[in-house]
């Protein structure tokens, strides 16, 4: 039986009051499904740059059904214990499964892991929170379905948590929150609502029609702490006849604006159906080589070394990648349209290649994850060859999909990360009407100076971005306390049912409170 060791307590709770709550939670889910003390290792942020234990939970509880979850919420409300929900807790780079308030109880939904429905005709699935992208992909194959689920780089994260965070993948369904259709939600007072057509028991179009009668509720539950989503409809896509990966390289740092501005019209007119990725050479190199193979001096890697790396690895300073889908004729025509700018513009060369045997997997347009849902290496390994304990954290910004904005953001981020001695390994994922700027900051978490530098740098980055009119898409978890001067107005009021008395995921996306 798990025993609460008292290593972290909820705010305001004494050992004895928490012990009573802990006993009640144990009664709900069984002792083997409550973790405390040493067995909480999985609920720490593996890439933390904060003081050890700053975000330590008091316990983790794993309900196996919606009824159990409601009972857990009732215990938390009765004892005024903050609950922090994770679906699979793989929010790496953004805080992992760790709560934002030390001493919270983590409600880990990974045991609610059923794929409830797959509809081949209407191309959707209804899933529970514990279903990962890899699980859903495997389930589809196991039942003989060829449907695609759009997969982020880390396929072990949950379909639901990622969509709620407005995460993204790399196919024509890459904007994951846009694929949500119908949710079942347990509110902070324990009552349940179903959004859209789900409001009517037995409605046949719950996962097909997003609307309902009157106001739509779904947006309330994205990046919010009003709820726990217990079921979600997710739209899947038909596998295309052909998928063609199109890559483009721009030689110089100054080529970013023309590269983005050349590709955007092809996104807007539907020639390119996936979001396109534009990454600098270090973003690519960090996934395939070790940093110290190129540079082991102080500070950020100098441009001259980056140029050498580009030449040796055959990379552009900027490297773009997207996918074209359709029948042979349609995909072929699209690839000719994409290749055309290379003749017209001196800044880039483009190349389109068919996926061998066109056995496409939804992750197949990732450079290192061809045909595999499990990338072997991530950018945190960039500093691996240099020893220490490699970690990474992500900084991202919402960006208009325009060259001028991309340049402004790249310069803003690069200046600040280099000031703190880190490499700027970054780029953009670009949809027709918005982009997300990404910077992957790798650091050695066994080095207190590097950890402190990351912690000091983030508020500066947020402030720089706010001053320029940009904001983070996920003001979350790990960056929640570093939001600097950024304040967004709340778009709605809470309902009495959602009024969580501070018990449900406090400090989650604090911009919204
Ligand atoms: C190397 C690397 C690459 C990455 N690549 C990508 C990428 O390509 N695309 C991308 O989008 N992300 C990416 N990420 C970020 C992150 O890993 C993913 O978003 C991941 O899918 C999140 O995992 P999860 O859903 O298990 O997280 P969880 O922690 O389970 O959930 C994420 C958040 O949603 C909330 N939440 C979870 N479940 C519920 C629920 N049922 N009800 C209400 N709220 C809930 C939680 O409070 C949490 O804050 C990457 C990270 C790393 C380190």
């Amino acid at each position: 039986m798990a025993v609460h060791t008292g290593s972290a307590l909820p705010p305001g709770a004494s050992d004895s009051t928490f012990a009573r709550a802990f006993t009640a939670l144990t009664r709900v889910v069984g002792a083997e499904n409550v973790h405390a003390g040493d067995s909480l290792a999985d609920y720490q942020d593996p890439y933390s740059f904060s003081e050890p234990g700053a975000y330590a939970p008091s316990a983790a509880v794993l309900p196996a059904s919606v009824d159990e979850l409601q009972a857990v919420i009732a215990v938390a409300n009765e004892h005024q214990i903050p609950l922090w929900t994770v679906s699979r807790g793989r929010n790496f780079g953004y805080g992992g499964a760790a709560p934002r308030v030390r001493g919270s109880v983590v409600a880990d939904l990974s045991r609610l892991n059923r794929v409830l429905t797959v509809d081949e005709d209407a191309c959707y699935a209804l899933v529970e929170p514990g279903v990962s992208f890899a699980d859903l992909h495997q389930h589809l194959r196991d039942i003989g379905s060829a449907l695609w689920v759009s997969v982020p780089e880390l396929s072990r994260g949950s379909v639901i948590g990622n969509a709620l965070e407005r995460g993204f993948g790399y196919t024509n369904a890459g904007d994951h929150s846009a694929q949500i259709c119908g949710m079942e939600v347990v509110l902070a007072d324990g009552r349940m609502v179903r959004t859209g057509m789900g409001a009517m028991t037995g409605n046949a179009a719950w996962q097909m029609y997003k609307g309902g009668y009157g106001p739509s509720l779904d947006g309330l539950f994205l990046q919010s702490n009003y709820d726990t989503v217990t079921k979600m409809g997710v739209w899947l896509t038909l596998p295309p006849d052909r998928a063609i990966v199109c890559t483009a390289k721009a030689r110089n740092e100054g080529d970013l604006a023309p590269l983005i501005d050349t590709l955007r019209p092809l996104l807007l007119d539907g020639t390119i159906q996936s979001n396109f990725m534009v990454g600098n050479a270090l973003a690519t190199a960090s996934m395939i080589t070790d940093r110290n193979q190129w540079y082991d001096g102080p500070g950020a890697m100098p441009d001259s070394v980056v140029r050498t790396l580009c030449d040796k690895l055959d990379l552009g300073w900027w490297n773009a990648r997207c996918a074209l889908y359709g029948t042979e004729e349609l995909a072929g025509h699209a690839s000719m349209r994409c290749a055309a700018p290379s003749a017209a513009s001196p800044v880039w060369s483009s190349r389109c290649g068919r996926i061998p045997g066109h056995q496409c997997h939804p992750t197949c347009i990732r450079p290192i994850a061809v045909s595999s849902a499990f990338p072997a290496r991530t950018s945190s390994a960039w500093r691996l060859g240099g020893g220490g304990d490699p970690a990474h954290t992500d900084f991202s910004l919402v960006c208009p999909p325009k060259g001028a904005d991309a340049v402004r953001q790249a310069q803003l981020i690069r200046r600040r990360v280099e000031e703190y001695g880190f490499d700027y390994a970054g780029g953009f994922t670009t949809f027709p009407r918005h982009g997300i700027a990404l910077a992957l900051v790798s650091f050695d978490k066994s080095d207190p100076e590097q950890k402190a530098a990351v912690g000091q740098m983030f508020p500066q980055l947020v402030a720089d971005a706010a001053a320029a009119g940009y904001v983070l898409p996920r003001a979350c978890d790990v960056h929640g306390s570093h939001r600097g001067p950024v304040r967004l107005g709340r778009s709605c009021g809470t309902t009495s049912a959602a009024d969580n008395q501070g018990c449900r995921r406090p400090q989650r996306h604090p911009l919204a409170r």
Side-chain angles (χ1 to χ4, degrees):
M1 173 170 168
V3 177
H4 174 246
T5 60
S7 55
L9 283 172
S14 66
D15 268 329
S16 59
T17 54
F18 186 66
R20 281 197 292 279
F22 190 80
T23 304
L25 291 171
T26 304
R27 266 193 223 111
V28 172
V29 297
E32 64 283 16
N33 296 308
V34 185
H35 295 287
D38 292 344
S39 64
L40 286 173
D42 285 348
Y43 303 97
Q44 310 286 342
D45 176 3
Y47 301 150
S48 173
F49 50 83
S50 307
E51 289 300 308
Y55 300 110
S58 52
V61 54
L62 288 84
S65 66
V66 174
D67 286 348
E68 285 190 5
L69 173 67
Q70 287 171 309
V72 165
I73 290 172
V75 171
N77 286 346
E78 184 190 339
H79 296 271
Q80 293 284 293
I81 304 287
L83 269 187
W84 180 263
T85 312
V86 299
S87 281
R88 292 207 63 88
R90 303 286 176 126
N91 209 14
F92 299 143
Y94 296 94
R100 291 312 298 159
V101 169
R102 180 179 154 83
S104 300
V105 170
V106 178
D108 175 348
L109 306 182
S110 57
R111 293 174 72 214
L112 284 137
N113 59 0
R114 292 173 301 166
V115 178
L116 297 164
T117 314
V118 173
D119 188 311
E120 285 284 333
D121 301 320
C123 298
Y124 71 78
L126 180 67
V127 298
E128 293 187 324
V131 174
S132 71
F133 291 93
D135 294 337
L136 181 53
H137 169 76
Q138 193 55 51
H139 179 84
L140 292 168
R141 299 303 163 265
D142 288 348
I143 62 169
S145 170
L147 292 175
W148 278 13
V149 53
S150 173
V151 181
E153 194 173 337
L154 295 189
S155 60
R156 291 293 183 188
S158 69
V159 174
I160 287 184
N162 182 276
L164 292 176
E165 283 293 274
R166 302 195 177 92
F168 55 84
Y170 305 93
T171 66
N172 47 359
D175 183 355
H176 290 169
S177 62
Q179 314 310 321
I180 298 173
C181 191
M183 291 192 259
E184 178 186 275
V185 185
V186 176
L187 299 175
D189 67 357
R191 280 186 287 168
M192 181 197 284
V193 294
R194 289 184 168 175
T195 66
M197 293 286 106
M200 175 188 169
T201 305
N203 187 285
W206 187 24
Q207 270 64 62
M208 288 164 259
Y209 180 66
K210 293 192 185 201
Y213 294 114
S216 289
L217 296 182
D218 295 75
L220 277 175
F221 304 119
L222 271 69
Q223 297 195 344
S224 87
N225 56 359
Y226 300 151
D227 68 282
T228 299
V229 175
T230 47
K231 292 183 183 65
M232 182 186 281
V234 53
W235 285 348
L236 306 171
T237 45
L238 279 175
D241 280 1
R242 292 284 185 278
I244 295 178
V245 174
C246 189
T247 59
K249 283 187 286 188
R251 182 165 165 75
N252 299 310
E253 188 174 19
D255 295 337
L256 178 61
L259 185 58
I260 299 252
D261 290 335
T262 304
L263 287 169
R264 188 186 55 254
L266 298 169
L267 268 180
L268 281 166
D269 76 6
T271 303
I272 298 174
Q273 295 155 25
S274 70
N275 39 323
F276 66 74
M277 304 288 296
V278 177
N280 69 3
L282 289 189
T284 307
S286 67
M287 288 193 255
I288 53 178
T289 64
D290 288 339
R291 183 178 198 268
N292 73 336
Q293 185 181 331
W294 307 99
Y295 181 67
D296 58 5
M301 188 179 281
D303 282 5
S304 57
V305 181
V306 177
R307 173 61 62 208
T308 306
L309 175 152
C310 287
D311 293 342
K312 292 258 166 59
L313 295 177
D314 193 22
L315 294 172
W317 195 281
W318 297 104
N319 303 276
R321 194 176 63 254
C322 60
L324 313 169
Y325 303 114
T327 60
E328 178 140 27
E329 296 74 25
L330 282 173
H333 179 70
S335 72
M336 279 191 297
R337 290 208 63 207
C338 285
S342 60
S345 163
V347 302
W348 70 333
S349 65
S350 69
R351 197 178 63 221
C352 293
R354 270 205 185 97
I355 297 160
H358 57 84
Q359 291 294 312
C360 319
H361 181 278
T363 59
C364 66
I365 69 163
R366 302 293 298 156
I368 55 162
V370 177
S371 301
S372 162
F374 309 101
R377 178 188 164 107
T378 70
S379 44
S380 26
W382 179 228
R383 288 175 181 264
L384 204 56
D389 195 354
H392 99 247
T393 188
D394 297 335
F395 180 75
S396 45
L397 291 175
V398 178
C399 182
K402 299 179 184 178
D405 286 281
V407 168
R408 204 159 166 226
Q409 291 196 349
Q411 287 174 347
L412 176 156
I413 298 171
R414 180 176 176 181
R415 192 170 50 241
R416 196 59 85 181
V417 297
E418 291 191 347
E419 178 193 329
Y420 280 88
F422 299 107
D423 300 324
Y424 169 50
F428 302 83
T429 182
T430 308
F431 295 86
R433 286 187 180 75
H434 77 281
I436 304 290
L438 290 161
L440 313 168
V441 181
S442 2
F443 63 100
D444 173 4
K445 69 176 178 178
S446 67
D447 178 341
E449 279 183 22
Q450 284 193 32
K451 275 174 64 168
V454 176
Q456 286 159 19
M457 181 181 70
F458 262 103
Q460 301 266 4
L461 273 169
V462 175
D464 293 344
Y470 303 120
V471 73
L472 289 71
R474 304 183 189 186
C476 64
D477 300 338
V478 73
H479 310 141
S481 51
H482 299 303
R483 60 196 189 279
V486 181
R487 292 284 184 277
L488 295 182
R490 284 168 62 178
S491 56
C492 59
T494 52
T495 64
S496 58
D499 182 359
N500 64 32
Q501 307 161 57
C503 285
R504 297 276 295 106
R505 283 179 286 155
Q507 290 298 315
R508 167 159 165 75
H509 289 290
L511 295 174
R513 294 291 301 164

